[in-house]
């Protein structure tokens, strides 16, 4: 099982180590650091590295490497999933996951890690269980603690730990009972030069914020559940009900959680909300070139497209750009060769345009690689797949909760080839 | 106020100051001090000097302080074992605490203190905690058993903790069950044969119930454990699949992949025409696709596994090509894996799409990726014949870009396309030749030279082109040098008149000015060929080449099967069997897919089913583990001087035939006396006529007299032959599977072998050799495998054996260690032969002699055995036994019992006498009793076993 964990910052310093079995010397990280040196980007470090006596499985998240050491055959996905949980836990407790935050709370992080694994076996990874064992820091609590000498460590067995619903603690009480659901859809797409869709799919997620007293039993149904190709549920969802009736029936965890993720694969269902007219030319002489980009709305179901951001990865030899944007502003980073054009809201009457000249390094040949263009966007109050929540019912409790559903569509990995 | 304050140091020295604070009277100060110590520990500083001071803080009511001290203890106890003892009392006390959290914490921490002295004190508290009323404590204790086992395995076994742990599998709380499974799985990893996780339908049912209720991590443990189970039939298999399928919708990708493993494995048993089989196939695709939208690290592991799944069951993902299209911002390791899978999924239906994508990738920025994309185009051409033309034109387009590394990769793959489709695309050669100068990588240069040599007759200036390469001959890499040598020889054979000078130049460069032995030898071979017989040279050098195979990088079927059983593990990421790399897995059980039980699929060998799941069948062959000793023995045998002077005695001649296991004796035999034995000829695979495959004829003088003596018996029919068992599984022998049995036919002992080639390449040059054994068994001739064994082919061979080989007593007596050689390697295995093979045909003793001998053999040499449930009367038994050369000499009936007196003679002259008692009066009493008497009592057990086998078959 998981032997040790090292946290490594981008410059290669190990700033935290935790061992769940015998102590493994940190020199084992050298193999990892070597691979890190070799990789062009930190993202490119292979997640599984073998060394003569150990295996190193790592993730790169929030500009930090979470590096685990294992010695026997352990499912790598198990380890990777766990490492992501660690990152999420830190985020959840301290509001962000960064080296500074971890160093500022090193003892608590260490205590938390000890609660999460025992002998390398996951022990408590559910946020609400952990929070009962070790309370998250708040300013008020730390003041009280200094005055009274009490501590952040709970001395009672968390109630959720052993019940068949480990995700919910007993005795939850709110004065305002509310349940909000966000349906968030991300479009992953590749469009080719002519604007034809090479590949498109929708990754959807239903995020929930449930603050309900007692033990509510909720049922959420959709208008059109058949849309969904593949679903993954939070463990609280009763799978059998979904199989037979296509409704989500569950006793929710307390607070924020991801109720389900889904997938819409069928190409004809994936609407592409924007189009890009682009032309990039380099002069045969090799001294420069011209760029012309126009973005316009396509299938937006009558909604406004906002937060549009175009990112172009320029060929390496492009030295500087001199462009003119009719809307928004642009920046060009010469070190990374990335052109970012922040457009904002799309106005169908007056399409934003960016054009101008590119200058190349002197003497450099005409670039041979094709630049690629990524788009970010946001559409409020729309799930692009057309998914709609029908109703939410609550059983098991008597009060009347506030309910609400929000929809939002975003671009995921939305790529246009030029 | 943050924890970073714990890192500030003062002038006096940190340790000194901490010590003072730890011994402070104020609780709060103490706690702060321990926090500082922990903070230093987390960054790898050595604070072990504070051990006694920290341990002193342990006895406290403050849980946080207690936990902090425990954290410290776990890290440093090992370095201060004597001091750690100080903590024991507190632990033992805490294990009795009314608060379950404290009890669990104590047992958990104690297990982490890896000090022998402490573990002794741990046993009693642990035993209590395993039976604790609180499930939280029980589940913590379960893990503690695994910890303790890691420190002191013997102790855990002696204390009976393993049994308690097994009982926890039936616990009422699913979390306890999951932890027990996890602990047992970890322990089982270091005890591959211990059969700790005894899976049977009842325990499986419990696991499946717990699966629905336990945490996501517990589900992973349970699913991985389920995957080791071998269902009895397709129905059970289906019901497990049905209960596992919902896990495919879990948010945790590790759960999903473990579920995929169980399904992929158990699916194997379902009949393909079953509706459910199709349903299941459909259900597998969406979760696999979804894994690809997760974080890149998860994607990577998923892709490595999908790569296996696609090879095993391409139908699952055949419509999902698009999800493997590479995105611009995928990390490189994801891109490369996706590319691999795209090629595997490429088919006539989707090739246009794939090619368009690949062409796109070939213009990306990342050089490694671009190269692989170009190669992929070539692989598509070879895989999908209809697309070859389009691929070639795509490659030509890419060559036009003149991007150096693209051109070079393109030329390398075009060479392969030429080999796959000869005489089809040679029109592009001219274009290729234009780019000759830009090639600077050895592989591309070698490929280009190969093309020029191969098509020399179509390239007008081939000689000039090759000559230009020749100028810098010594600076080229070996690959290019060898290719250049061959190409020029080809050119010479095609255009001998103009190129004589060139060929001489290259031959002298290769043979005289080079110190590379490969190059020199190849040069000499060509030189000699050309100078002795140019016509023959032409036949050799310009021989028609075999077409290259469709896909070169498929995983061998047996390895693939094993890897499918290991989906989701490190093995699946590395595509290597776990035994190849996981440290500390002593003798990992090889896992295999179960056989389909339904009808219709008869191609799979019936033996597979019994081995599946690795649940240990008794007949499983033992593979000789350490090759050191044995190899020594076998080598010794080989070195025994062959008798080559004069006409050799026939027996030794036969032995020599089978002796060329390591090829060492070949030269001396070749050079020596040709009249040695015709059998030797067969040893070289030349004269098959000497040894007909069905050896019913006597092999030579040595066996001939045995044969004569068998005359009185009258050809017995149906002598017992045990069924064939797998002696050497394919995964132990690079794809060669050997199963076999022994038979005695007409006085000749035969080893009957079934050789199956489960590898991807042809196997030739088989030879066999035995280690010294108890009865001097040795091959009486060479192994008759006349034609090469092509992949997936099976061949039956009979090998006659003699009993005049060197003798060494084996344990067990009838153990035989065998080495088999082929063109790939030498493999070793051991098998046991039924001793009845050695019962000779003249084993019928005179009555008087029998009586005298029976009395003569001391009573302590007599052994008694029972054969249960044998429905035979004495005559039938007698006949059956006679067929195996166990002769009945006399029969008596006493008080409803038939007594048969029997004699056996072994090939080495040992006599065995036996008395068999058969109940005749009572039909319900079906046990036979047998007493065996022999001067060498060691054989009694073997003889009995063999009588039992004969009578029961």
């Amino acid at each position: 099982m998981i032997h040790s964990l090292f946290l490594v910052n981008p410059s290669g310093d190990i700033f935290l180590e935790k061992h769940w079995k015998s102590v493994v010397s940190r020199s084992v990280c050298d193999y990892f650091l070597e691979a890190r040196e070799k990789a062009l980007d930190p993202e490119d470090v292979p997640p599984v590295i073998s060394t003569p006596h150990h295996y190193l499985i790592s993730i790169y998240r929030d500009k930090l490497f979470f590096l685990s050491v294992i010695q026997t055959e352990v499912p790598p996905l198990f380890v990777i999933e766990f490492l992501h949980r660690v990152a999420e836990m830190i985020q959840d407790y301290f509001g962000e996951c960064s080296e500074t935050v971890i160093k500022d709370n090193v003892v608590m992080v260490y205590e938390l890690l000890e609660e999460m694994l025992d002998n390398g076996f996951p022990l408590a990874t559910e946020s609400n269980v952990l929070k009962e064992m070790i309370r998250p820091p708040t300013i008020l609590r730390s003041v009280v603690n200094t005055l009274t000498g009490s501590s952040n460590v709970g001395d009672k067995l968390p109630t959720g730990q052993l019940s068949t619903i480990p995700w919910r603690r007993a005795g939850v009480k709110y004065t305002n009972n509310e349940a909000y659901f966000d349906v968030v859809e991300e479009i992953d797409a590749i469009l080719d030069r002519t604007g034809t869709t090479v590949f498109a799919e929708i990754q959807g997620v239903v995020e929930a914020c449930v603050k309900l007293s007692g033990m509510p039993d909720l049922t959420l149904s959709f208008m059109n559940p058949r849309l969904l190709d593949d679903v993954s549920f939070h463990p609280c969802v009763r799978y059998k009900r979904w199989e037979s009736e296509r409704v989500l029936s569950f006793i929710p965890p307390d607070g924020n959680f991801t109720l389900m993720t889904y997938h819409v694969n069928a190409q004809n269902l994936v609407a592409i909300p924007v189009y890009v007219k682009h032309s990039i030319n380099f002069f045969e002489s090799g001294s420069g070139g011209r760029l012309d980009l126009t973005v316009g709305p396509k299938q937006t179901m009558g909604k406004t497209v906002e937060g549009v951001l175009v990112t172009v990865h320029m060929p390496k030899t492009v030295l500087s750009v001199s462009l003119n944007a009719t809307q928004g502003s642009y920046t060009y980073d010469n070190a990374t060769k990335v052109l970012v054009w922040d457009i904002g809201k799309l106005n169908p009457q007056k399409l934003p345009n960016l054009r101008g000249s590119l200058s190349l390094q002197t003497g450099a040949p005409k670039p041979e690689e094709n630049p690629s263009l990524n788009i970010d966007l946001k559409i409020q109050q729309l799930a692009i797949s057309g998914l709609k929540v029908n109703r939410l019912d609550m059983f098991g409790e008597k009060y009347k909760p506030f309910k609400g559903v929000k929809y939002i569509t975003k671009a995921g990995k939305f790529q246009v080839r030029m | 106020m943050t924890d970073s304050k714990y890192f500030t140091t003062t002038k006096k020295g940190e340790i000194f100051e901490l010590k003072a604070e730890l011994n402070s009277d104020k609780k709060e100060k103490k706690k702060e001090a321990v926090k500082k110590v922990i903070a230093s520990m987390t960054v790898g500083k050595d604070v072990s000097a504070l051990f006694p001071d920290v341990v002193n803080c342990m006895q406290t009511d403050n849980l946080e302080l207690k936990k902090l001290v425990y954290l410290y203890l776990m890290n440093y106890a090992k370095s201060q074992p004597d001091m750690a003892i100080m903590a024991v009392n507190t632990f033992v006390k805490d294990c009795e605490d009314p608060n379950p959290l404290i009890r669990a914490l104590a047992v958990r921490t104690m297990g982490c203190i890896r000090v022998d002295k402490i573990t002794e004190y741990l046993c009693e508290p642990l035993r209590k905690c395993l039976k604790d009323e609180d499930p939280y404590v029980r589940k913590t204790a379960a893990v503690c058993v695994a910890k303790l086992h890691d420190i002191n395995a013997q102790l855990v076994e002696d204390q009976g903790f393993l049994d308690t742990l097994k009982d926890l599998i039936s616990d009422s709380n699913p979390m306890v069950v999951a932890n027990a499974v996890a602990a047992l799985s970890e322990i089982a990893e270091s005890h591959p044969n211990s059969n700790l996780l005894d899976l049977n339908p009842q325990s499986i049912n419990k696991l499946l119930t717990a699966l629905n209720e336990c945490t996501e991590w517990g589900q992973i443990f349970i699913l991985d454990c389920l995957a080791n189970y071998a269902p009895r039939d397709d129905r059970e298999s289906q019901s497990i699949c049905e209960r596992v399928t919902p896990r495919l919708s879990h948010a945790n990708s590790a759960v999903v992949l473990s579920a995929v493993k169980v399904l992929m494995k158990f699916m194997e048993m379902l009949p393909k025409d079953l509706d459910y089989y199709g349903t299941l196939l459909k259900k597998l695709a969406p979760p696999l696709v979804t894994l690809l939208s997760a974080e890149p690290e998860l994607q990577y592991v998923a892709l490595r596994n999908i790569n296996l799944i696609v090879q095993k069951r391409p139908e699952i993902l055949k419509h999902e090509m698009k999800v493997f299209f590479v995105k611009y911002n995928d990390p490189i390791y994801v891109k490369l894996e996706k590319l691999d899978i795209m090629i595997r999924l490429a088919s006539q239906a989707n090739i246009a799409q794939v090619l368009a994508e690949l062409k796109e990738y070939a213009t990306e920025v990342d050089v490694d990726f671009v190269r692989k994309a170009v190669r992929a185009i070539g692989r598509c051409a070879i895989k999908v014949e209809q697309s070859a033309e389009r691929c070639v034109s795509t490659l030509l387009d890419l060559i036009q870009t003149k991007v150096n590394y693209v051109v070079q990769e393109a030329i390398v793959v075009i060479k392969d396309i030429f080999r796959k489709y000869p005489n089809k695309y040679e029109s592009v050669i001219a274009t290729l030749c234009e780019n000759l100068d830009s090639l600077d990588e050895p592989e591309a240069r070698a490929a280009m030279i190969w093309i020029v040599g191969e098509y020399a007759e179509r390239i007008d200036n081939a000689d000039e082109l090759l000559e230009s390469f020749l100028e810098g001959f010594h600076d080229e890499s070996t690959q290019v040098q060898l290719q250049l040598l061959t190409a020029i020889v080809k050119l010479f054979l095609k255009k001998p008149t103009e190129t004589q000078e060139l060929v001489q130049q290259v031959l002298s460069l290769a043979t005289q000015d080079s110190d590379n032995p490969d190059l020199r030898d190849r040069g000499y071979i060509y030189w000699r060929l050309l100078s002795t017989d140019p016509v023959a040279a032409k036949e050799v050098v310009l021989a028609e080449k075999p077409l290259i195979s469709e896909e070169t990088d498929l995983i061998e079927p047996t390895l693939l099967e094993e890897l499918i059983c290991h989906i989701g593990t490190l093995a699946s990421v590395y595509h290597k069997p776990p035994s190849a790399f996981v440290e500390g897995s002593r003798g990992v059980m090889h896992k295999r897919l179960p056989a389909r039980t339904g009808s219709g699929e008869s191609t799979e060998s019936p033996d597979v089913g019994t081995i599946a799941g690795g649940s240990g069948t008794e007949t499983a062959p033992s593979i000789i583990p350490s090759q050191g000793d044995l190899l020594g023995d076998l080598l010794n045998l080989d070195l025994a001087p062959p008798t080559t002077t004069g006409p050799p005695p026939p027996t030794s001649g036969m032995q020599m035939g089978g002796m060329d296991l390591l090829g060492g004796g070949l030269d001396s035999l070749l050079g020596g006396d040709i009249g040695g034995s015709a059998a030797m000829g067969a040893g070289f695979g030349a004269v098959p006529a000497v040894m007909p495959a069905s050896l019913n004829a006597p092999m030579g003088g040595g066996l001939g007299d045995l044969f004569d003596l068998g005359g009185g018996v009258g050809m017995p029919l149906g002598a017992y032959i045990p069924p064939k068992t797998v002696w050497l599984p394919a995964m132990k022998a690079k794809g060669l599977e050997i199963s076999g049995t022994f038979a005695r036919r007409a006085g000749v002992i035969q080893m009957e072998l079934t050789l199956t080639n489960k590898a991807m390449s042809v196997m030739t040059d088989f030879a066999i050799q035995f280690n010294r054994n108890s009865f001097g068994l040795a091959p009486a001739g060479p192994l008759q495998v006349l034609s090469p064994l092509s992949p997936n082919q099976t061949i039956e061979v009979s090998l006659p054996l003699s009993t005049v080989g060197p003798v060494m007593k084996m344990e067990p007596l009838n153990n035989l260690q065998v080495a088999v050689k082929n063109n790939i390697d030498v493999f070793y295995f051991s098998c046991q032969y039924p001793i009845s093979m050695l019962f000779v045909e003249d084993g019928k003793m005179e009555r008087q002699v029998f009586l005298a001998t029976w009395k003569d053999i001391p009573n302590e040499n007599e052994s008694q055995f029972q054969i249960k449930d044998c429905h035979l009367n004495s005559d039938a038994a007698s006949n059956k036994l006679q067929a195996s050369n166990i002769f009945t000499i006399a029969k008596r009936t006493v008080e409803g019992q038939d007594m048969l007196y029997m004699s056996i003679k072994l090939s080495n002259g040992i006599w065995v006498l036996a008395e068999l008692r058969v109940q005749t009066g009572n039909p319900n009493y079906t046990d036979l009793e047998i007493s065996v008497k022999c001067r060498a009592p060691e054989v009694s057990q073997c003889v009995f076993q063999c009588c039992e086998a004969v009578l029961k078959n």
Side-chain angles (χ1 to χ4, degrees), chain A residues 35-47:
Chain A
R36 164 75 193 86
E37 291 285 304
K38 264 190 238 157
L40 289 172
D41 283 317
E43 287 93 351
D44 286 341
V45 182

Side-chain angles (χ1 to χ4, degrees), chain A residues 17 26 55 60 73 76 81 85 104 114-115 118 125 151 155 161 193 203 230 233 313 415 417, chain B residues 3 42-43 64 67 99 108 136 147 216-217 249 253 290 293 297 328 357 360 568 570 581 583:
Chain A
E17 59 182 278
R26 58 165 64 190
Y55 287 86
Y60 182 68
E73 176 69 86
E81 281 276 0
R85 277 326 144 78
D104 284 351
E114 178 63 25
E115 292 301 337
D118 177 19
T125 51
S151 74
D155 54 6
Q161 181 89 326
R193 225 155 259 117
Q203 311 283 355
D230 183 43
F233 298 120
H313 296 259
Q415 179 189 342
R417 291 174 179 159
Chain B
D3 291 356
T42 56
V43 292
E64 186 178 18
K67 278 189 169 181
N99 185 345
R108 183 173 139 205
Y136 182 72
K147 295 179 194 171
E216 49 197 314
W217 313 108
S249 298
S253 58
T290 300
S293 50
E297 298 92 1
Y328 180 81
E357 278 298 300
E360 197 64 47
L570 282 169
F581 65 95
E583 193 170 277

Side-chain angles (χ1 to χ4, degrees), chain A residues 93-396:
Chain A
Y93 261 78
F94 310 112
E96 65 169 296
C97 180
S98 69
E99 188 181 351
T100 341
V101 139
I102 294 171
K103 277 188 172 164
D104 284 351
N105 297 283
V106 69
V107 176
M108 192 180 272
V109 171
Y110 200 78
E111 286 172 327
L112 281 167
L113 289 174
E114 178 63 25
E115 292 301 337
M116 290 180 82
L117 280 190
D118 177 19
N119 194 36
F121 299 114
L123 193 60
T125 51
E126 287 287 339
S127 154
N128 79 80
V129 172
L130 276 174
K131 280 184 178 162
E132 274 185 72
M133 309 265 262
I134 296 168
R135 295 181 197 103
T138 58
I139 295 171
L140 180 69
R141 188 168 295 135
S142 61
V143 171
V144 171
N145 286 351
T146 356
L147 293 177
T148 61
S150 62
S151 74
N152 280 338
V153 176
D155 54 6
K156 275 205 212 76
L157 197 56
T159 43
Q161 181 89 326
L162 283 164
S163 69
T164 46
I165 39 171
W167 54 84
R168 191 175 181 90
R169 63 197 163 92
V172 182
K173 258 209 170 107
Y174 289 100
T175 41
N176 289 328
N177 288 296
E178 43 193 24
Y180 297 115
F181 295 88
D182 289 352
V183 179
V184 183
E185 296 196 339
E186 292 195 353
I187 309 168
D188 284 356
I190 303 175
L191 307 184
D192 75 1
R193 225 155 259 117
T194 60
T196 320
T197 311
V198 175
F199 158 83
E201 64 178 11
I202 295 168
Q203 311 283 355
V205 52
V206 179
E207 298 280 3
C209 173
V210 178
K211 293 181 174 168
L212 298 174
S213 314
M215 275 286 165
D217 198 331
L218 302 180
T219 308
L220 181 80
S221 61
F222 296 102
M223 308 271 261
N224 40 8
R226 314 245 156 232
L227 222 59
L228 311 174
D229 276 332
D230 183 43
V231 284
S232 319
F233 298 120
H234 187 278
C236 67
V237 176
R238 297 181 181 103
Y239 185 74
K240 287 227 171 82
R241 285 280 307 269
W242 171 259
E243 277 284 89
S244 54
E245 301 165 48
R246 298 274 145 180
V247 296
L248 299 178
S249 154
F250 56 98
I251 295 174
D254 184 36
N256 295 315
F257 65 99
T258 304
L259 180 61
M260 78 165 190
T261 59
Y262 60 90
H263 215 79
V264 179
N265 224 347
Q267 301 263 314
N268 46 2
L269 287 175
V270 183
I272 303 294
V274 292
Y275 70 89
V276 182
K277 271 208 308 213
H278 52 80
S279 84
I280 184 165
N281 295 305
F282 294 101
F283 307 132
E284 279 308 322
S285 61
S287 58
R290 286 199 63 77
L291 177 76
D292 192 336
L293 292 177
T294 308
V295 183
K298 209 170 161 187
Q299 297 159 280
T300 60
M301 327 271 172
K303 308 274 184 195
T304 321
V305 183
E306 44 191 279
V308 182
L309 189 83
V310 179
T311 313
V312 188
H313 296 259
M314 288 289 183
K316 280 182 207 129
T317 47
V318 175
L319 202 60
S320 66
V321 298
S322 157
L323 305 167
N324 185 25
T326 60
Q327 185 187 339
S329 58
Y330 76 90
T331 55
Y332 181 66
D333 181 350
N334 196 23
T336 53
K337 307 290 176 194
V338 175
L339 170 72
V340 181
W341 178 24
D342 189 348
I343 299 172
K345 208 178 266 184
L346 270 194
N347 179 358
Q349 271 73 50
K350 196 170 159 284
L351 297 181
N353 173 272
L354 179 74
R355 78 174 88 186
S357 59
L358 313 171
S359 55
L360 298 183
Q361 276 164 18
T362 39
K366 192 182 158 196
E368 57 222 8
E369 70 256 25
N370 293 327
S372 151
L373 192 149
N374 284 18
I375 295 179
D376 263 335
L377 56 85
K378 227 186 253 175
I379 306 172
Q380 302 282 0
Q381 288 313 317
L382 172 73
I384 198 100
S385 66
L387 186 75
K388 275 223 160 65
V389 172
N390 186 19
R391 54 182 298 147
L392 175 75
D393 298 304
M394 186 182 75
F395 306 93

Side-chain angles (χ1 to χ4, degrees), chain B residues 795-842:
Chain B
I795 192 173
E796 308 269 343
V797 195
S798 281
L799 179 73
L801 305 181
S802 72
T803 52
V804 290
V807 174
M808 179 173 80
K809 196 177 162 198
M810 299 297 290
E811 191 56 47
L813 210 59
N814 56 344
N815 194 18
L816 181 64
Q817 296 181 329
V818 183
V820 170
K821 187 203 84 155
N822 63 11
N823 57 330
I824 296 165
D825 206 345
V826 184
F827 311 106
Y828 305 90
F829 63 89
S830 73
C831 54
Q832 294 184 9
Y833 48 87
I835 203 163
S836 60
M837 273 183 4
L838 303 165
F839 298 171
V840 297
E841 282 72 8
D842 64 340

